[in-house]
Amino acid sequence: MAAENEKSRLDDAARAGWLYFIAGHTQDEIAKMLQVSRASAQRLVSLCLAERLITFRLEHPIAACMELAARLKQRFDLSHCEVVPADPAAPQATAGIAERCANLLDSTLRSETPVIVALGTGRAVRAAVERVTPIDRPNHQIVSLVGNISADGSASFYDTVGRLADRTGARHYPMPLPFLMSSEDERNKMVRIEPIAKVKAVAAKADLRLVGIGQMDQKAQVHVDGFVTRDELFEMMRLGAIGEITGWAYDAKGKLLKAGTNKRLTSIPPEVPAKTTTIGAAVGAAKVQAITAALSGGLINGLITDEATARAILER
């Protein structure tokens, strides 16, 4: 019993530490979230530090999160799964998963052996790249999986390849193409030109793929960020699209659609099933169906999410 109480106390301390140091909440806010007094919240944060549960990153594996990760890993036969605490005040916040994605990138990029990291776009991936510890690794390669030019000719704010290259000194390979071409024939011609073919060849040899997962509804990020029009979005929804990875829309079974914008998309298609370590990073109730379908269809073989999203996936 004493051991169980000690474990529970450390779990509470780790949760308080995450809310304070990672999510950025005040001790008053943490007290309300954990339903304890402010003094208790302060003691839990202090205990988190005293027990070295957190240094630069949270090192204590919270038991509930570990259990959820294990269940997801077993259910979907995943090679990698991490579940971080949910932030009750901001259920769609990406700070927690961005921190874990950054940890994954850090551990990959610390290798002295040359590695290739392929990146999608999105808020979580961008936030992760910003947290990567600067390191000199000129022998590594960073490659984009997705065209980063929107319909109006502007570059995506969430492009990540150049930023990660800045932090590592690695060679980088952007995808200098519009997200969508005007026709399937034009797309086929563009992806065969030599510079783009070389980018695709580098991506094909990637050791790690890190991608965001987007839902396909009226708040779809590909529409909000200006990559597809309202009419294009609604067409894909009518065709059965419920999610997208690097722009590639798929249905509720995780099957890539063979129509609509997928026929004009310049992004590198997902492996089906994923053989390269392919980690999806996403949180939020709106993305549960899209994440579940991506897992079921084998579009990803790894997941980084939060506990609320993990529970919702397992309850489907």
Side-chain angles (χ1 to χ4, degrees):
M1 180 64 71
E4 290 181 3
N5 289 339
E6 177 65 10
K7 181 175 180 293
S8 177
R9 189 172 70 102
L10 292 178
D11 281 355
D12 289 342
R15 194 175 297 275
W18 185 89
L19 290 168
Y20 187 81
F21 293 104
I22 306 300
H25 290 292
T26 66
Q27 291 179 1
D28 284 334
E29 291 171 336
I30 294 169
K32 291 178 182 177
M33 291 175 190
L34 299 184
Q35 296 183 326
V36 298
S37 67
R38 187 184 187 283
S40 293
Q42 186 176 26
R43 283 194 294 271
L44 287 171
V45 171
S46 297
L47 179 62
C48 182
L49 285 173
E51 294 292 333
R52 298 188 61 79
L53 305 183
I54 191 167
T55 51
F56 176 72
R57 291 198 170 93
L58 183 64
E59 299 295 343
H60 178 81
I62 294 173
C65 293
M66 286 189 68
E67 180 186 356
L68 289 168
R71 290 171 61 191
L72 285 168
K73 196 170 185 179
Q74 181 178 23
R75 177 168 168 179
F76 295 104
D77 191 25
L78 302 180
S79 63
H80 184 96
C81 186
E82 293 189 63
V83 175
V84 305
D87 181 352
Q92 298 184 57
T94 59
I97 64 168
E99 183 266 338
R100 297 316 301 164
C101 288
N103 188 71
L104 174 64
L105 289 171
D106 273 348
S107 62
T108 302
L109 294 166
R110 277 197 295 268
S111 171
E112 294 287 349
T113 303
V115 297
I116 300 175
V117 174
L119 298 175
T121 60
R123 289 151 178 78
V125 177
R126 170 77 183 195
V129 167
E130 293 296 336
R131 288 168 167 78
V132 169
T133 305
I135 187 172
D136 186 32
R137 287 293 185 269
N139 292 329
H140 294 341
Q141 298 176 83
I142 315 297
V143 60
S144 178
L145 293 170
V146 58
N148 62 357
I149 301 174
S150 60
D152 64 3
S154 62
S156 169
F157 175 77
Y158 299 104
D159 180 43
T160 53
V161 172
R163 182 60 175 154
L164 186 55
D166 286 343
R167 301 183 78 80
T168 60
R171 294 185 66 184
H172 67 290
Y173 301 82
M175 182 73 73
L177 286 177
F179 186 80
L180 292 175
M181 303 304 295
S182 60
S183 68
E184 182 180 8
D185 183 61
E186 185 179 27
R187 188 276 304 270
N188 291 340
K189 290 178 180 177
M190 290 300 293
V191 297
R192 284 197 296 265
I193 66 174
E194 186 175 0
I196 303 304
K198 288 181 178 179
V199 172
K200 292 179 66 177
V202 173
K205 297 183 289 184
D207 299 285
L208 169 69
R209 291 185 176 201
L210 180 62
V211 298
I213 300 173
Q215 77 269 27
M216 293 293 278
D217 58 21
Q218 294 190 47
K219 295 183 179 179
Q221 291 170 352
V222 287
H223 172 55
V224 172
D225 294 340
F227 290 105
V228 302
T229 66
R230 183 175 180 272
D231 289 343
E232 288 169 336
L233 172 64
F234 284 2
E235 178 192 17
M236 296 306 286
M237 291 170 64
R238 286 192 294 270
L239 290 169
I242 58 92
E244 59 83 17
I245 291 175
T246 61
W248 288 91
Y250 54 88
D251 63 20
K253 295 183 178 180
K255 186 176 181 180
L256 296 178
L257 300 181
K258 296 181 179 180
T261 54
N262 278 7
K263 299 180 75 172
R264 300 185 284 117
L265 191 66
T266 61
S267 302
I268 295 171
E271 294 177 317
V272 185
K275 296 182 179 64
T276 301
T277 300
T278 304
I279 310 297
V283 295
K287 294 190 177 185
V288 168
Q289 186 182 18
I291 298 169
T292 305
L295 291 166
S296 299
L299 299 177
I300 56 176
N301 54 22
L303 178 66
I304 297 178
T305 191
D306 71 3
E307 57 186 319
T309 308
R311 290 185 193 282
I313 292 169
L314 290 166
E315 288 168 2
R316 289 184 63 83

